[in-house]
Amino acid sequence: MLLDIDNLSLTITTNGISHQILDKVSLSVDAGEVVGLVGESGSGKSTTARAVLKLYPETAAVGGSITVGGTEVLSASKDELHRVRSSEAALIHQDPRAALNPVRRIGDSLTERLVHVLGVSRADAAAAGLELLAAVGIRQPEERMRQYPHELSGGMLQRVVIAAALTGQPKLLLADEATSALDVTTQAEVLAILRDLQEQRGLGVLLITHDLHLAAAYCDRVYVMYRGQIVEELRGNDLFHGAQHEYTRRLLSAVPAIGHLPKTESRAS
Amino acid sequence: MSEHVLEVDGLQKAFRVGAGNVVACNNVSFAIPPGGSMGLVGESGSGKSTIARMLVGLETPDAGTIHVRGRQLGTRERGRAARLRRAKEIQMVFQDPYGSLDRRLTVAQCLDQAMRLHGVSGSSRIAGLLDQVGLLAKHGDSKPHQLSGGQRQRAAIARCLAIEPSVMVLDEAVSALDVSVQAQILALLNEIRASSGIALLFVSHDLAVVSEVTDDVLVMYRGSILEQGPTGRVLNAPEHSYTKLLISSMPGPGWDPKNVLERRAAFLAEVGV
């Protein structure tokens, strides 16, 4: 297994009150596999993804284990953790404008990891950067390298962020609502590129999304999260028809679709 | 006069970008009857938000007219009284209620302030307004940060209702919400327009959401309306190739991003890009 999360629990205590964010979460992603993680805001999806890179507050109490490519992350030494973060797994966020420094050129942001973390020369890093921009379907990559984030559209920037995530040649991509802010047509374009890259490189992808239709259509397997727990695991194709858990069914019934009205009370619950 | 609450005729707007002009809105006309709901769909940059912003007076049209209940809105309101009069006719709900609610005011204070600003009587209406949008009386004493995303959007809708506008413009108002909360807010909007006769203009990139709260829909691309008609007809039997592209782009059973790219390339070739 490329990613193996076993019985992960995470509790954060603020002002003497404990909040259990994750409760015995277990999931796995194999190489070459696209796995969805769905659920509502606050269910713990992002916390799970961030924990894979050991990105959580130092005050958090964490139990269980996370293995990325054979390395136990939670007990990893500083050097091991550095290696996991720089070349094993990469995290892509929803908002590319927040991920890129607005006053630095695209080329600098793109090659930063290669030059400053992996010690590649600037010329080699620039060449690798150009190649990656072409790989994510950006035309005139030389020109884009010299531009600033505000000069590019959201779809273009998200492709830059994906390219930047690939610079360390990771084996695992953690995509946290990476296409949620894009138009449906642009989303399709970015996902087609991601699928190609994923197949060529045998990447494992953990796709976090609130879009259940997307999870069903794009993922091999889907985990459903609710209040810090994985309540159900399904094959992507079975998500809409094979759900057993009551929460999953309730969630699915709220999904709007053309030509069907959800049976929901307008009152807040 | 007219039986329509909102009538937009020949609306035109171009923005100067660099050396050239980008036409964000090209000869757009539509009308909404009392209690009616119009969807406005299209991708980023299609001009949806520009239309919404022109309706509420945040942008000035280059040409065209906007009538609310038969009265023409000025293109550039001068003075506080004129601006308030316009705001009372058309209210807007934004995507991010956290950004549009004053974080120092409780919900009740916010409603009270909106009503006093517009000279609408009644702190006595606050309880009724909270109930109308499905908030509890205790939520009146909460500040925005103490509410959930769905509750905040309810508060923003209550603020609109407080001043009894003729038209409500909702710009991606449910896009940031979870599906179950989204479904509640959509049901609430349907309830409001049935009971109050307020006309809704519902701007969204999400066709499925639009299909649940609108009677008619406008499909926009690069400032122009490419297709319009009853929502059910447009979404179930689209005529324009762009509408077909949008519908096929929505993830669903059998969806393949590669097919979407082919359709998009075909459409772009058709419009000559």
Side-chain angles (χ1 to χ4, degrees), chain A residues 52-73:
Chain A
V52 172
L53 296 179
K54 209 178 176 184
L55 294 170
Y56 46 75
E58 281 178 9
T59 52
V62 183
S65 83
I66 301 175
T67 317
V68 179
T71 308
E72 214 298 305
V73 174

Side-chain angles (χ1 to χ4, degrees), chain A residues 3-269:
Chain A
L3 169 67
D4 213 335
I5 299 180
D6 190 31
N7 271 320
L8 179 68
S9 294
L10 192 148
T11 304
I12 290 176
T13 305
T14 44
N15 302 329
I17 305 162
S18 292
H19 300 276
Q20 181 153 27
I21 313 291
L22 301 178
D23 182 10
K24 299 199 179 72
V25 170
S26 295
L27 65 83
S28 62
V29 179
D30 215 345
E33 197 182 24
V34 180
V35 176
L37 186 56
V38 302
E40 294 181 286
S41 318
S43 60
K45 307 186 297 288
S46 294
T47 307
T48 304
R50 292 172 62 82
V52 172
L53 296 179
K54 209 178 176 184
L55 294 170
Y56 46 75
E58 281 178 9
T59 52
V62 183
S65 83
I66 301 175
T67 317
V68 179
T71 308
E72 214 298 305
V73 174
L74 300 181
S75 60
S77 67
K78 213 174 157 193
D79 286 351
E80 281 176 329
L81 192 59
H82 187 260
R83 191 180 52 76
V84 168
R85 287 177 180 170
S86 63
S87 46
E88 289 279 344
L91 181 62
I92 303 168
H93 295 283
Q94 173 169 2
D95 181 8
R97 284 186 205 281
L100 295 169
N101 186 334
V103 297
R104 296 187 68 200
R105 293 178 196 275
I106 297 295
D108 292 334
S109 295
L110 187 61
T111 54
E112 184 175 43
R113 188 193 303 240
L114 289 172
V115 174
H116 297 290
V117 181
L118 301 172
V120 177
S121 77
R122 273 182 198 280
D124 288 351
L130 283 175
E131 200 175 300
L132 282 168
L133 285 186
V136 294
I138 288 182
R139 273 169 278 173
Q140 301 158 317
E142 293 89 352
E143 193 187 325
R144 301 292 174 223
M145 296 276 275
R146 286 192 296 274
Q147 288 182 306
Y148 290 95
H150 74 268
E151 296 176 275
L152 273 60
S153 68
M156 194 87 88
L157 280 182
Q158 194 60 289
R159 284 184 274 177
V160 169
V161 170
I162 292 173
L166 294 172
T167 51
Q169 304 204 319
K171 298 171 191 74
L172 175 68
L173 272 188
L174 307 160
D176 189 356
E177 302 278 9
T179 59
S180 308
L182 305 177
D183 285 316
V184 279
T185 51
T186 316
Q187 164 170 285
E189 194 173 353
V190 170
L191 288 175
I193 290 164
L194 196 58
R195 159 95 18 111
D196 280 347
L197 291 168
Q198 180 253 331
E199 283 170 0
Q200 285 162 17
R201 295 166 185 238
L203 288 173
V205 177
L206 183 65
L207 187 86
I208 296 178
T209 180
H210 66 276
D211 185 338
L212 298 163
H213 281 295
L214 173 65
Y218 193 75
C219 299
D220 301 317
R221 283 186 297 125
V222 179
Y223 292 97
V224 182
M225 263 192 111
Y226 178 58
R227 295 194 173 178
Q229 295 181 334
I230 303 272
V231 296
E232 192 155 9
E233 180 194 344
L234 290 152
R235 282 163 38 82
N237 293 333
D238 296 337
L239 180 60
F240 274 82
H241 302 291
Q244 298 294 321
H245 196 277
E246 199 219 319
Y247 171 74
T248 314
R249 289 189 185 179
R250 213 156 29 125
L251 197 61
L252 292 168
S253 72
V255 176
I258 292 177
H260 118 275
L261 261 173
K263 310 267 182 293
T264 311
E265 281 279 299
S266 69
R267 305 276 101 175
S269 50

Side-chain angles (χ1 to χ4, degrees), chain B residues 14 21 32 54 68 100 117 124-125 131 138 153-154 214 237:
Chain B
N21 273 341
I32 314 179
M54 283 192 283
V68 176
S100 62
L117 185 65
S124 58
R125 285 178 57 224
D131 184 57
K138 66 171 185 185
Q153 203 56 291
R154 287 170 195 271
T214 66

